[in-house]
Amino acid sequence: MGVSIGIIAIKGGVGKTTISASLASELARTHDKKVLLIDGNYSAPNLGLHMGIVTPDKTIHHVLSGKVRLKSAVHECYGVDVIPGSYFFPNDINPLKLKDKISGIKQDYDFIIIDGSPSLNEEILSTMLASDVLFVVSTPDYPTLSCSLRAARLAKQRGKPIAGIILNKIRDPSYELSLHAIEEVTGIPVIAKIPDEKIHTKALFYRTPTSIYKENSKFSHEIRELTNALNVAKSRKRFWSSFFSFAVPREAINRELLKEQFYTEQFFFKER
Ligand SMILES: Nc1ncnc2c1ncn2[C@@H]1O[C@H](COP(=O)(O)OP(=O)(O)O)[C@@H](O)[C@H]1O
Ligand SMILES: [Mg+2]
């Protein structure tokens, strides 16, 4: 049985879609995992564009309105099964059906990544309910942090574990919130620190996930490290044996703890 991971934030523009696309492609490419990637941003879907899908004929909207079966809306891109959204679709969808729709195919995948909506309505609830575990994407500023806190509260109310915060678009750390401050305020570990880089504009222009477009970027490195943490097959020994020999960044330690959590099936993950 695969694990479903919701990528959420109650704010647009923080990098949810960019990260979802790269996380999914990296799990498929580097770890050879079977991955389903779903656009959960029903009112403003754009995940397809990040994955090279421009005008999909069957989308998550068709699935949620009961017009097609989930499997019929799958588009294969970069080794990932993608279900994009539709810009031009009437609103007769039931977002809360997503959980039911994916329950029947969870055994076919190792990971199901859901790119969440920033709207604090049934769209974000749709992602939360369908996810076993959530990653919150945040930028290191106070307004976004307050949104992340709201997301954390909502997830708690719904009984959904937040596995970590992905801190994105770090520009000038001297004038931004530190990892420690964010962890202290939210009580959630930061599992990736990603700088602001220009490469995303080009990657999107070529409709390619950034981690594939530029493998040696800091973004791609951090995404790879995160997928290593989700990939339970990797050995943990080397990390812990080298742990005391030199300074390891806090986010790397948090990732190792995340891996432990996946091991102990805290997030319902079962190794195949
Ligand atoms: N680390 C980053 N550095 C610079 N630009 C980024 C970074 N992450 C995302 N972006 C850009 O920010 C914009 C919003 O990203 P997106 O993934 O669409 O956010 P969201 O899904 O949260 O609305 C896009 O133009 C994307 O290319
Ligand atoms: Mg988005």
Side-chain angles (χ1 to χ4, degrees):
M1 184 72 83
V3 65
S4 51
I5 303 176
I7 311 295
I8 63 158
I10 306 181
K11 199 165 194 287
V14 292
K16 293 179 295 299
T17 307
T18 306
I19 288 166
S20 300
S22 286
L23 200 58
S25 343
E26 203 54 39
L27 281 166
R29 189 177 63 151
T30 309
H31 301 289
D32 205 22
K33 295 291 175 189
K34 186 104 175 79
V35 186
L36 178 66
L37 174 64
I38 301 174
D39 198 334
N41 189 354
Y42 310 122
S43 49
N46 52 35
L47 177 67
L49 292 176
H50 288 251
M51 299 298 291
I53 306 165
V54 183
T55 49
D57 52 346
K58 298 200 176 75
T59 66
I60 192 67
H61 292 78
H62 294 86
V63 176
L64 294 177
S65 64
K67 292 191 173 65
V68 303
R69 288 175 58 241
L70 185 134
K71 278 191 174 168
S72 319
V74 165
H75 299 62
E76 215 191 307
C77 311
Y78 300 102
V80 176
D81 281 0
V82 185
I83 304 186
S86 169
Y87 284 109
F88 313 105
F89 202 86
N91 283 332
D92 66 339
I93 62 164
N94 182 351
L96 302 182
K97 282 218 163 128
L98 182 65
K99 185 186 163 104
D100 288 349
K101 297 285 177 189
I102 65 172
S103 65
I105 48 90
K106 261 182 124 177
Q107 69 277 7
D108 299 341
Y109 291 95
D110 297 304
F111 292 96
I112 297 167
I113 309 281
I114 307 167
D115 174 26
S117 158
S119 313
L120 193 53
N121 56 19
E122 70 275 12
E123 290 200 22
I124 196 168
L125 274 183
S126 168
T127 296
M128 281 191 179
L129 296 177
S131 302
D132 295 322
V133 60
L134 300 165
F135 289 164
V136 174
V137 181
S138 186
T139 49
D141 54 89
Y142 281 107
T144 309
L145 182 65
S146 68
C147 293
S148 303
L149 277 170
R150 289 178 77 187
R153 205 178 311 134
L154 190 62
K156 203 171 170 197
Q157 283 167 3
R158 297 283 157 176
K160 291 292 171 179
I162 295 185
I165 291 179
I166 299 173
L167 200 52
N168 191 27
K169 295 192 181 184
I170 300 168
R171 288 181 186 143
D172 191 344
S174 314
Y175 298 95
E176 291 175 328
L177 290 165
S178 68
L179 175 151
H180 293 282
I182 289 169
E183 288 192 345
E184 187 145 334
V185 172
T186 60
I188 303 167
V190 171
I191 50 171
K193 274 174 75 180
I194 303 173
D196 191 283
E197 289 173 290
K198 285 185 180 160
I199 43 155
H200 301 280
T201 312
K202 281 191 187 169
L204 190 54
F205 179 82
Y206 291 112
R207 300 196 186 104
T208 309
T210 305
S211 63
I212 288 184
Y213 179 73
K214 194 152 190 225
E215 285 178 38
N216 61 355
S217 62
K218 288 187 176 149
F219 174 88
S220 305
H221 173 267
E222 214 49 8
I223 292 292
R224 221 163 17 247
E225 290 294 328
L226 189 52
T227 61
N228 286 343
L230 302 180
N231 175 21
V232 294
K234 287 238 165 174
S235 164
R236 291 173 295 164
K237 224 174 162 188
R238 233 174 62 202
F239 179 91
W240 290 116
S241 60
S242 64
F243 181 55
F244 295 105
S245 52
F246 55 89
V248 178
R250 173 68 174 244
E251 65 275 18
I253 296 169
N254 286 340
R255 279 194 291 266
E256 210 57 26
L257 295 172
L258 178 71
K259 193 189 278 187
E260 299 279 339
Q261 286 172 313
F262 270 75
Y263 255 110
T264 54
E265 300 183 17
Q266 185 171 330
F267 302 133
F268 322 109
F269 185 77
K270 302 239 184 332
E271 193 174 1
R272 288 158 173 243

